[in-house]
C-alpha cells in the first residue's frame, strides 16, 4: 500500500486509519473527506522533535494552514507544539476560534489588505511576514495607529529552482516576496520604520519538493545576505525562516521523503554557513503544510455513471464529487492513487478515467485507474487528499462541499459537517 494507514480487511474492504471505509461511507455519506488525526499528530511531532533536537533554541515548525484550515486542525497541531502560519483574516479567525495563541501566529500572504492588517494587529498576532515595500509601510502605519511595535520578518525571493511544477514554484521570478537585488534596500527601509521590529528573514522556494538540496541552496543565499546585512546595517536576525515545501508520496512512483533526515541536513548546512561567515546563529523556522496533512487524508466517492469506451475510446466512471472538492487535477494535472474500496479483492481488468460530476470535460479526478468492472454504487477512495483539497474546494455547479471526518484510535467524529443547499444560499439576497 501507498502509506501505512491504508489497508484491506477480511471482507475485502479498504481500511483507512484502521477503520472500514464502507462503514464510514454508510455512516456519514459520500463524498467524504477523511482525516487520520493520529497521522497528523505523528507528522507534527516529527517536525517539532527533530527541530528541537538539532536546531538552536527558538527553532520551530509553523503549520501552514493553507494546506488544510478548519478549527479542529489547529487544536491538533497546536497541542503537538507547532506554531501557525496564517494567510488571511479567515484563517486567523478560524485559528483564534480554535483557541490558538495569537502570539504563536505568523501572518503571511502576499497582499494583506489594510483591514486585515488592522485586524491582525488588534488581535495581537505575534509576527507578520512582510511581502513587499507597500505592505511594509502599511503595517508600519497600522502599528503606529494602534500604538504598538509589530515584530516582522521580511520575505525575500532567493531565485532557486526547486524542480517542482510551475504553479507552485515560488522561489524564482514570481509575484511573491522581494527579489534579492532589492533585498538590502527592503531591509534598510524596514529598519527605518519606527513601529516595526525586524526580527527575521524569510524565503519559500516552492511546494512538493522531494530533495533538501534546493533548501540548502536557499539557505546559502539567505546566509550570504545575512552576512552583508551584518556588515552594512549591523542587522542580526533572531529567525531564519526557510518556508515549507517538502513533497509527499501521491503514487507508487513518488519517493518517500525522510523528513527528520532532511531537517538535519538543513540544520547542519545553516550551522556550517553561520560558522563560515562569522554570523550569530539564528533560530530556524520551517512552514510545512502538505507534509503534515496530505497522507493523513483520503476522499471517498460513490460511483454514479459507468461509460465503457468503444473502439479504443476511454472508459469513464463518474463519481459524486470531483473538481468541486479537489481541483488539483484540473489545475495542475496532479496524479493520485485511486482504490476500488468496496471491491479490493477483485481483479482489476481495465483502466478507467475517474471523472467528477461537474458539467465540463476537465472535471477529472484521475486517469488510467485500474478497477474491477465498475458498477453504480461502488465505493472509490482517493488517497493522499489531506492537503489542498478541502482548502481549495468550491461550490461550482452549486455542489455542496463534503463533510470532513476525523479518525483517531479507531473512532470517527465529524470535524466539519456536510454543507447543505441552505448554507450555499445563505448569502443570496432574494427580493
Ligand atoms: N509557506 C509559504 C510561504 C507557502 O507559500 C506555502 C505554500 C507553504 C509554506 C506550505 O508549503 P507546503 O509545505 O504545503 O508545500 N495548491 C498547491 C500548493 C500551493 C502551495 C502554496 N504555498 C497544490 O495543491 O499543490
Amino acid at each position: 500500500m501507498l502509506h501505512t494507514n491504508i489497508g484491506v480487511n477480511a471482507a475485502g474492504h479498504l481500511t483507512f486509519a484502521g477503520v472500514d471505509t464502507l462503514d464510514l461511507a454508510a455512516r456519514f455519506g459520500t463524498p467524504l473527506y477523511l482525516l487520520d488525526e493520529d497521522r497528523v499528530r505523528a507528522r507534527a511531532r516529527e517536525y517539532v522533535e527533530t527541530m528541537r533536537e538539532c536546531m538552536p533554541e527558538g527553532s520551530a515548525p509553523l503549520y501552514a494552514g493553507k494546506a488544510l484550515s478548519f478549527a479542529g486542525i489547529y487544536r491538533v497541531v497546536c497541542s503537538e507544539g507547532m506554531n501557525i502560519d496564517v494567510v488571511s483574516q479567515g484563517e486567523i479567525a478560524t485559528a483564534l476560534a480554535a483557541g490558538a495563541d495569537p502570539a504563536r501566529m505568523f501572518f503571511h500572504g502576499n497582499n494583506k489588505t489594510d483591514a486585515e492588517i488592522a485586524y491582525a494587529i488588534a488581535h495581537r498576532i505575534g509576527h507578520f511576514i512582510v511581502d513587499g515595500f507597500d505592505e511594509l509601510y502599511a503595517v508600519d502605519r497600522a502599528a503606529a495607529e494602534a500604538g504598538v511595535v509589530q515584530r516582522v520578518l521580511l520575505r525575500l525571493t532567493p531565485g532557486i529552482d526547486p524542480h517542482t511544477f510551475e504553479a507552485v514554484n515560488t522561489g524564482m521570478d514570481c509575484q511573491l516576496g522581494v527579489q534579492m537585488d532589492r533585498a538590502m534596500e527592503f531591509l534598510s527601509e524596514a529598519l527605518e520604520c519606527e513601529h516595526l521590529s525586524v526580527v527575521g528573514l524569510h524565503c519559500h522556494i516552492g511546494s512538493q519538493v522531494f530533495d533538501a538540496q534546493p533548501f540548502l541552496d536557499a539557505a546559502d543565499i539567505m546566509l550570504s545576505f545575512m552576512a552583508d546585512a551584518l556588515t552594512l546595517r549591523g542587522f542580526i536576525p533572531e529567525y531564519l525562516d526557510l518556508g515549507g515545501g517538502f513533497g509527499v508520496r501521491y503514487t507508487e512512483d513518488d519517493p518517500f521523503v525522510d523528513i527528520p533526515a532532511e531537517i538535519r541536513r538543513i540544520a547542519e548546512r545553516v550551522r556550517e554557513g553561520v560558522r563560515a561567515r562569522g554570523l550569530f546563529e539564528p533560530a530556524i523556522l520551517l512552514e510545512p503544510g502538505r507534509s503534515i496533512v496530505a497522507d493523513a487524508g483520503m476522499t471517498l466517492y460513490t460511483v454514479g455513471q459507468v461509460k465503457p469506451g468503444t473502439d479504443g475510446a476511454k472508459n469513464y466512471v463518474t463519481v459524486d464529487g470531483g473538481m468541486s472538492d479537489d481541483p488539483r487535477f484540473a489545475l495542475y494535472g496532479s496524479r493520485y492513487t485511486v482504490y476500488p474500496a468496496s471491491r479490493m479483492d477483485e481483479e482489476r481488468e481495465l483502466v478507467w478515467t475517474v471523472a467528477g460530476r461537474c458539467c465540463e470535460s476537465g472535471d477529472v479526478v484521475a486517469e488510467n485507474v485500474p478497477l474491477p468492472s465498475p458498477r453504480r454504487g461502488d465505493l472509490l477512495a482517493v488517497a493522499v487528499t489531506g492537503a489542498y483539497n478541502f482548502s481549495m474546494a468550491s461550490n461550482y455547479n452549486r455542489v455542496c462541499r463534503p463533510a470532513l471526518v476525523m479518525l483517531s484510535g479507531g473512532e470517527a467524529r465529524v470535524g466539519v459537517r456536510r454543507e447543505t443547499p441552505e448554507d450555499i444560499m445563505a448569502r443570496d439576497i432574494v427580493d
Side-chain angles (χ1 to χ4, degrees):
M1 285 294 179
L2 196 62
H3 292 285
T4 52
N5 53 1
I6 305 175
V8 180
N9 63 17
H13 299 167
L14 188 78
T15 62
F16 188 57
V19 185
D20 187 320
T21 54
L22 260 73
D23 290 347
L24 291 166
R27 185 166 160 205
F28 298 104
T30 62
L32 185 68
Y33 294 118
L34 302 177
L35 188 71
D36 175 356
E37 180 182 331
D38 301 334
R39 175 59 60 105
V40 174
R41 288 188 182 279
R43 294 274 181 240
R45 228 172 284 146
E46 206 168 57
Y47 271 94
V48 171
E49 285 170 7
T50 313
M51 291 180 74
R52 197 173 284 156
E53 161 205 311
C54 70
M55 289 175 167
E57 205 184 324
S59 299
L62 321 181
Y63 170 64
K66 57 180 82 65
L68 174 65
S69 179
F70 69 101
I73 193 72
Y74 293 112
R75 285 261 160 92
V76 172
V77 296
C78 290
S79 70
E80 294 299 337
M82 292 186 86
N83 293 345
I84 312 176
D85 153 357
V86 286
V87 292
S88 66
Q89 182 167 349
E91 284 192 4
I92 295 172
T94 307
L96 288 173
D101 178 1
R104 291 172 59 184
M105 293 186 203
F106 289 70
F107 189 15
H108 249 297
N110 67 307
N111 190 12
K112 304 168 186 70
T113 65
D114 289 341
E116 284 178 312
I117 292 169
Y119 173 87
I121 289 178
H123 286 84
R124 304 187 182 288
I125 300 308
H127 295 86
F128 276 56
I129 295 174
V130 180
D131 189 88
F133 289 83
D134 291 312
E135 194 171 283
L136 184 70
Y137 307 132
V139 178
D140 187 40
R141 271 194 307 272
E145 264 163 40
V148 299
V149 173
Q150 178 64 49
R151 287 164 66 86
V152 301
L153 286 78
L154 305 179
R155 179 167 181 168
L156 307 180
T157 306
I160 299 289
D161 180 0
H163 304 296
T164 184
F165 50 104
E166 189 65 22
V168 296
N169 172 351
T170 46
M172 297 179 72
D173 182 12
C174 69
Q175 74 274 40
L176 306 166
V178 171
Q179 305 285 327
M180 295 313 291
D181 56 353
R182 294 195 68 192
M184 195 58 73
E185 184 189 345
F186 190 33
L187 173 65
S188 304
E189 287 292 296
L191 292 173
E192 290 296 307
C193 292
E194 260 181 55
H195 292 272
L196 303 183
S197 165
V198 187
V199 297
L201 300 171
H202 167 278
C203 69
H204 170 78
I205 53 170
S207 196
Q208 188 60 355
V209 181
F210 282 111
D211 178 17
Q213 190 57 46
F215 292 98
L216 306 183
D217 296 343
D220 285 345
I221 292 172
M222 299 298 281
L223 290 168
S224 296
F225 178 75
M226 275 168 56
D228 292 346
L230 179 61
T231 313
L232 298 173
R233 301 284 181 270
F235 173 67
I236 299 171
E238 252 173 73
Y239 294 111
L240 175 60
D241 183 340
L242 295 173
F246 278 124
V248 306
R249 182 174 153 92
Y250 284 93
T251 70
E252 304 279 349
D253 299 336
D254 293 330
F256 281 108
V257 177
D258 181 346
I259 303 263
E262 301 295 310
I263 292 174
R264 287 192 193 99
R265 280 178 74 192
I266 293 173
E268 188 54 29
R269 183 62 154 256
V270 172
R271 190 168 306 118
E272 280 168 9
V274 159
R275 220 176 281 142
R277 294 173 179 85
L279 299 170
F280 294 90
E281 199 168 15
I284 300 173
L285 302 175
L286 296 175
E287 301 170 345
R290 192 191 305 269
S291 55
I292 299 292
V293 290
D295 70 359
M298 176 175 275
T299 306
L300 303 181
Y301 297 112
T302 302
V303 168
Q305 301 231 69
V306 179
K307 296 182 181 173
T310 43
D311 295 335
K314 287 182 187 172
N315 299 312
Y316 286 98
V317 53
T318 308
V319 295
D320 52 356
M323 69 193 298
S324 46
D325 57 78
D326 179 4
R328 298 189 66 254
F329 182 93
L331 277 173
Y332 320 120
S334 303
R335 293 177 61 221
Y336 284 103
T337 303
V338 182
Y339 297 105
S342 47
R343 300 166 62 192
M344 291 299 287
D345 289 344
E346 294 180 39
E347 181 117 13
R348 302 171 199 179
E349 308 95 356
L350 295 174
V351 293
W352 296 76
T353 295
V354 178
R357 55 165 298 163
C358 287
C359 306
E360 61 179 79
S361 57
D363 184 3
V364 167
V365 174
E367 281 181 323
N368 297 313
V369 178
L371 294 175
S373 181
R375 295 187 292 255
R376 189 174 178 90
D378 281 354
L379 189 70
L380 297 188
V382 181
V384 194
T385 55
Y388 303 110
N389 275 233
F390 176 91
S391 65
M392 292 173 73
S394 75
N395 290 127
Y396 183 39
N397 284 198
R398 292 235 135 177
V399 170
C400 295
R401 284 170 290 189
L404 184 152
V405 165
M406 297 173 81
L407 304 170
S408 178
E411 297 293 318
R413 68 176 199 284
V414 175
V416 182
R417 70 159 169 78
R418 185 174 300 283
E419 202 167 34
T420 64
E422 289 68 36
D423 291 330
I424 296 181
M425 291 182 294
R427 292 172 302 120
D428 292 7
I429 311 296
V430 183
D431 292 332

